Amino acid sequence: MALQTAPPRLGSQRTRARGSLLLLLLCLGWVLPSRAQAADVRLALLTSRLQRTSRDLSWQQPELTVLLPRARRGAEKKACPPGREAQVVDENLFFYEEWELEACMDGALLATQMRQVNRIPFTYQQLHIFKRKLDEFYPQGYPQSLIERLSYFFLHVTPEDIHKWNVTSLDTVKSLLKVSQGRGVDVQVAALIARYVGGGGELDKAALDTLATFRPAYLCVLRPEQLGSVQLSVLWMTTPQDLGACSSLQMAVLYHKAHTAFQNVSGSEYFTRIEPFLGGASTEDLRAFTWQNISIDAAAFKKLPTEAVLSLTVAEVQKLLGPNLVGLKAEAGNVPLRDWISRQSQEDLDRLGLGLVGGVPNGYLVLDLHSREASSGSPHCLGRGPGPVLTVTASLLLVSVLS
Ligand SMILES: *[C@@H]1O[C@H](CO)[C@@H](O)[C@H](O)[C@H]1NC(C)=O
Ligand SMILES: *[C@@H]1O[C@H](CO)[C@@H](O)[C@H](O)[C@H]1NC(C)=O
Ligand SMILES: *[C@@H]1O[C@H](CO)[C@@H](O)[C@H](O)[C@H]1NC(C)=O
C-alpha cells in the first residue's frame, strides 16, 4: 500500500531482491550488448541502487546517461507477443526485455501514467525507450498536462525537447526545479526558464531562490527587471559563458549587481570578478575604475560597451589602462576603440605616443594628414579608422594638394 501512496521508499527487501535479479541478468549479459559497457553500466546501476536506498527516487544520474547503449539492433521491429501488451505501467514492465518494451509499450499509456513511471526503478535503457515512445507520441512537444506531471522524468529530456514546450504554470516550474537540484541539468533548467519567461511568466522569490542553486546558465533569459531580483550569490557563480547571450540592457543590470556582490573583495581580485560583466559598465563605472587605480587591459577594453567608452577623454583612457596602454594600439581598428578614436582630437591622441591615427584633425591639416599617412605606411587607414568627417576632409585635402 505504501507503494501506492508515497513516492517509493524502495529500500525494502523487494527492491534489493529485484536489484540482485537485475545484477544477475546483467552478469549474464542479458541486458547489454557489450562487456565493456556492461561493467560501466553495472557500476552505474549499483551506484544508483545504493543511492535509491538512501534517498527517494535517486535513480536518475544524468551524467551516466551517456553510458546508455543503443537499443539492440534487429530487435526493434518485432511484434508484441500475445498477452504482453502493456495495459498499465507497473512493476511487471521492469522485467520486460527491451525489444518487448519497444513492441508492447504505448506513448499514450506512458503519458497518462507518468507517476507510475517515476515510481518504479526502471533501468536507464528502459527509460530511454519510454522517452522515445513519448517523443513519438508528441512530436510537437509534450502538452502542459504531461509537463506538470513529469517530475523525475524531466531529468531525461533534452533542452531541444524543452524548447518545444509551452510552460505557463509557476508551480510546474517549481516542481521541475526541485527534481533538478544537484542533477547537473543546468542547461535543461535554463531552457525551462526560457520557455516560462518567454511566455510571459513571472518568477517569484521562492523560484529565484531555488534557481540560485543552479549554474546560472539561465541569466540571459531573464528580463532586466527579473535580473534585478536575482540573489547576489548567483553573481559569484557566474562564468563568462553564462553571459554570452545577454543583451546590453541585461548586462547593465548584471554589472551593477556584480559590483554590489563583489564589495567584499578589492584590487585585482575585484577586477577578475567584475571583468566578465564589463559589457554592462557605464562611463561612470569606468571612471570609478580610474579612481580605484584599477588598470584594465586591452582584452577587457575590447568588451566595454561603445557608448560607455565614447564619453571618456584621452586622459581618462590613459588612466584606465595605466601600464596596459601600449596594448591598445593593436585594438585601433576594432570597436569600441575605433569609434572612440574618431571622436578624439588627433592632437590629444598624439600625446598618448601610441601612433593612433584617425582622430579629428586640427590645425594644419595637410601636414598632419601627410605625416600620419607616411608614418603608418598603411594605405587603407583612411577607410578603416576615422569617421566620415575625416574621410571627406582627407579627400578635399588630396584634391587641394593635387591642384
Ligand atoms: C504551444 O502554444 C502554441 C500557441 O498556442 C501552439 O501552437 C503549440 O501547439 C503549443 N505547443 C505545445 C507543445 O503544446
Ligand atoms: C565575499 O563574499 C562571498 C559571498 O558572500 C564569499 O563567498 C567570499 O568568500 C567573500 N570573500 C572575502 C574575501 O571575504
Ligand atoms: C592611486 O594611486 C595614487 C598614486 O599612486 C595614490 O596616491 C592613491 O592613493 C591611489 N588611490 C587608491 C584608491 O588606491
Side-chain angles (χ1 to χ4, degrees), residues 236 261 264-265 269:
W236 286 86
N264 68 343
V265 292
E269 186 182 353

Side-chain angles (χ1 to χ4, degrees), residues 290-294 319:
T290 66
W291 305 327
Q292 293 161 347
N293 289 349
I294 291 175
K319 220 169 159 203

Side-chain angles (χ1 to χ4, degrees), residues 138-144 147 161 164-167 195:
Y138 295 115
Q140 311 296 324
Y142 303 170
Q144 298 209 52
I147 296 166
D161 297 327
K164 296 180 188 167
W165 301 354
N166 295 320
V167 186
R195 292 305 293 162

